Amino acid sequence: MSNFQGYLLKFGDTIFPHKYLAKKPTFTPNQRTEAEAYRDGNNDLHRVTINNHKSKLEVTIVPDITLEQKIEIENAMYSGLEDIVGRKYLITFWNDDVHVNDYRAGSFYLSDVSYSYTKIKNGTLYYDAITYTFVEY
């Protein structure tokens, strides 16, 4: 039986509005970090892996959303905002890592976001696709 509850991302207690997702979100859960890695004289790999794995979450928003729709997305994200200066968010996400297949919560920072516009019409801005990348602390 699956623990999936019908959503991929939740910021604080607010489910992300998935209707705005353009591309398939890309989640890289439980990334391994090496304290040390090297190859010896026989070219055999030796790794010392830190047992504290971190995840990266990338979501792209559909193009041609209005400023009002962008604000709706941001309001959902603000529900999990822990630190505005550091862009630190509390996010619960679906973790597909081997033997996990469950939700996991963590603190993530939002990488710098670039915005481009498709048009200005009737006093409203329209945006090209926006990608948000969250990296776990």
Side-chain angles (χ1 to χ4, degrees), residues 41-56:
N42 292 323
N43 202 26
D44 292 328
L45 179 63
H46 301 270
R47 298 170 59 208
V48 178
T49 304
I50 299 169
N51 190 17
N52 185 1
H53 314 306
K54 304 300 179 183
S55 299
K56 181 170 80 171

Side-chain angles (χ1 to χ4, degrees), residues 95-106:
N95 184 339
D96 271 308
D97 196 21
V98 177
H99 305 297
V100 177
N101 294 306
D102 203 352
Y103 288 97
R104 192 175 124 216

Side-chain angles (χ1 to χ4, degrees), residues 56-59 109-113 131-135:
K56 181 170 80 171
L57 315 171
E58 295 175 281
V59 294
Y109 71 86
L110 173 61
S111 298
D112 292 340
V113 180
T131 299
Y132 297 103
T133 302
F134 297 94
V135 179

Side-chain angles (χ1 to χ4, degrees), residues 65-83:
I65 63 168
T66 64
L67 173 59
E68 292 75 20
Q69 290 169 319
K70 180 175 116 7
I71 290 170
E72 178 186 346
I73 293 164
E74 291 170 343
N75 284 339
M77 291 167 43
Y78 289 151
S79 296
L81 187 63
E82 296 181 315
D83 174 16

